[in-house]
DNA sequence: TCATGGTGATTGTTACACAATGTATCTTGA
DNA sequence: TCAAGATACATTGTGTAACAATCACCATGA
């Protein structure tokens, strides 16, 4: 095994464990508000508590999980405030991308590839796949800016945002309508007018936000049968808001 | 001790340790490229290796430290590429702040307070204090946007950026000239013209970047006597770039 | 000179134990 | 009946010790 191999990252247990848990969460294996018992979970994944805690700590910092000292780690219960803030923060990145890419007059190949994947998605694909395809397009736009730090920061936002989408009621026209909107965004960029592209992106973001929040309003409150109540009774779990 | 006290965060050893190490780093107690030996450092701070590793992992995620699997944790050696990227990413946040705050026509009290603190800084204040005062002003501008996530993300950028400033040659006119520039930024916002404010901010950012990089060019390479070489010899430590 | 393998040091991971804290239950008193 | 305090239990936070995995260095030999 060559020692100075460039770009080769040795995988540690913590890293692959973190990836596995992330995968689990983004596959809707858990319910908002659900509580992660360390011992139980460590046994499930066949690792020690220290390793599990290290992996969870990473996900907590990414915003994918919520932690309260001496109480535990929970799947976030994202509120309307969180959704608004996520859109608010995302807008800053996306509008920048719209501006810069419109000046270039192209969205880049990665975004087009992502859009193509989105379009080729089977109708029977699970909801998590749809969400993944949707966000991949937006991620590609930001990556096109060429800034590692902007990409990382945006990626964190997007991870958290996926939770919003994953746990929201699924609209039956979702793939079709969103694909059309994404195509329109691409078009607004290739047209080459930054001002107009920014305006269109701004509208798209506001529109998406409105639709998502409206969908949340259709259900009373997200059910969480497997929530913290499983601990022993049904303690009053204040909804952690970020 | 009341049990349901709102907003009260119980401090854990990991948290306070992380804060202490951050403080140490931002006080220039270490040298770029310096290597943190776990056992030694754990003994210094009087904690176990696990606790130290948890604290370091947090700082690594914030970009304040650099980690390589099975090799250890290092104080980052920020390159010109990193400096450019940090300014690139910061610009996205700062220009957004300029735009929004100019529409409001005010920078907010926190920014004014930060500026006042900067102006009252004693000439004999350590360099780290100057950097702190400088960045506090910018942080206040972003906080004024009222988005928790934007504040958090920008805060991470700023933490990393402080390293750039801390380890750069100190210009003798620093406090005076930068205070003047900050005042000009405030003025451009209170004037109430978003377009102009953005333009001025953009110029300020480009100007700062140019000056900082030029300063770096004056020294050959940052000396790091206490670097990784202390391990046993002087192994070829590839400069970790982010 | 260069590849090869050995050696010591350091990080990654585990197991176990205990302290600190949160939650629920029970007790007490008005 | 109900509020307030004491108690018990479960869980998280931290420490200690040990071992495995890996890295950097060094010696050997062709």
């Amino acid at each position: 095994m060559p020692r100075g191999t460039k770009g080769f990252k040795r995988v540690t247990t913590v890293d692959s464990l973190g990836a596995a848990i992330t995968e689990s969460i983004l596959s809707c294996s858990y319910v908002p508000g659900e509580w992660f018992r360390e011992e139980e979970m460590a046994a499930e994944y066949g690792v020690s508590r220290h390793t599990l805690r290290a992996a969870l700590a990473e996900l907590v910092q990414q915003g994918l999980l919520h932690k309260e000292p001496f109480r535990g780690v929970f799947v976030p219960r994202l509120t309307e405030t969180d959704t608004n803030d996520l859109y608010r923060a995302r807008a800053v990145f996306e509008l920048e991308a719209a501006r810069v890419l419109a000046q270039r007059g192209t969205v880049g190949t990665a975004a087009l590839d992502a859009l193509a994947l989105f379009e080729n998605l089977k109708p029977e694909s699970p909801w998590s796949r749809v969400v993944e395809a949707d966000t991949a397009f937006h991620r590609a736009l930001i990556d096109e800016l060429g800034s590692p730090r902007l990409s990382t920061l945006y990626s964190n936002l997007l991870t958290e945002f996926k939770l919003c989408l994953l746990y929201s009621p699924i609209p039956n026209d979702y793939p079709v309508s969103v694909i059309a909107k994404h195509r329109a965004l691409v078009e607004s960029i290739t047209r080459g007018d930054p001002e107009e592209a920014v305006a269109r992106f701004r509208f798209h973001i506001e529109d998406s936000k409105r639709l998502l929040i409206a969908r949340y309003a259709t259900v009373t409150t997200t059910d969480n049968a497997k929530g913290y109540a499983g601990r022993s009774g049904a303690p009053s779990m204040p909804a952690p808001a970020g």
Side-chain angles (χ1 to χ4, degrees), chain A:
Chain A
M1 213 169 304
R3 277 182 284 177
T5 313
K6 264 189 194 168
F8 185 77
K9 284 269 183 189
R10 233 159 248 317
V11 285
T12 65
T13 306
V14 172
D15 285 339
S16 50
L17 176 61
I21 297 176
T22 299
E23 173 70 24
S24 263
I25 296 174
L26 294 182
S27 303
C28 277
S29 303
Y30 304 104
V31 169
E34 186 163 350
W35 171 44
F36 284 2
R37 222 175 308 195
E38 292 185 355
E39 209 158 359
E40 180 183 313
M41 203 163 185
E44 266 179 42
Y45 284 95
V47 298
S48 77
R49 260 185 73 210
H50 282 298
T51 302
L52 177 76
R53 283 166 63 85
L56 291 183
E58 204 163 322
L59 303 190
V60 166
Q61 278 241 338
Q62 286 176 19
L64 195 61
L65 287 172
H66 177 78
K67 172 171 188 170
E68 296 182 37
F70 295 102
R71 298 234 303 143
V73 171
F74 307 83
V75 177
R77 272 208 196 98
L78 293 169
T79 65
E80 187 172 325
T81 305
D82 291 312
T83 306
N84 271 303
D85 192 45
L86 279 167
Y87 272 106
R88 171 72 183 90
R90 279 185 59 197
V92 174
F93 291 77
E94 308 236 4
L95 297 182
E96 171 73 9
R99 193 168 2 247
V100 171
L101 298 186
Q103 276 169 355
R104 292 187 201 159
T106 172
V107 296
T109 56
L112 293 177
D113 291 347
L115 184 52
L117 276 168
F118 199 176
E119 287 167 338
N120 291 335
L121 217 57
K122 301 279 192 310
E124 64 269 25
S125 293
W127 177 230
S128 57
R129 280 292 183 80
V130 179
V131 170
E132 187 57 43
D134 182 353
T135 54
F137 171 75
H138 291 281
R139 185 195 309 274
L141 291 182
I142 304 300
D143 286 345
E144 200 63 31
L145 292 174
S147 163
R149 282 166 183 82
L150 284 180
S151 286
T152 301
L153 296 181
Y154 184 76
S155 182
N156 283 0
L157 280 179
L158 220 45
T159 301
E160 203 178 350
F161 177 74
K162 283 182 194 170
L163 290 178
C164 281
L165 279 188
L166 282 171
Y167 294 128
S168 74
I170 307 172
N172 30 23
D173 70 332
Y174 192 82
V176 187
S177 64
V178 172
I179 287 173
K181 286 172 186 171
H182 281 190
R183 274 215 209 87
L185 290 180
V186 170
E187 207 183 325
S188 76
I189 283 176
T190 50
R191 203 169 292 134
D193 182 348
E195 298 289 328
E196 191 200 334
V198 168
R200 281 178 183 269
F201 265 69
R202 185 168 272 136
F203 175 80
H204 171 68
I205 293 168
E206 280 302 315
D207 191 49
S208 301
K209 176 167 75 175
R210 193 177 47 74
L211 287 173
L212 179 56
I213 290 181
R215 268 195 282 147
Y216 267 112
T218 60
V219 293
T220 55
T221 312
T222 317
D223 191 359
N224 52 333
K226 293 165 63 186
Y228 190 74
R231 189 159 180 168
S232 81
S236 61
M237 258 292 294

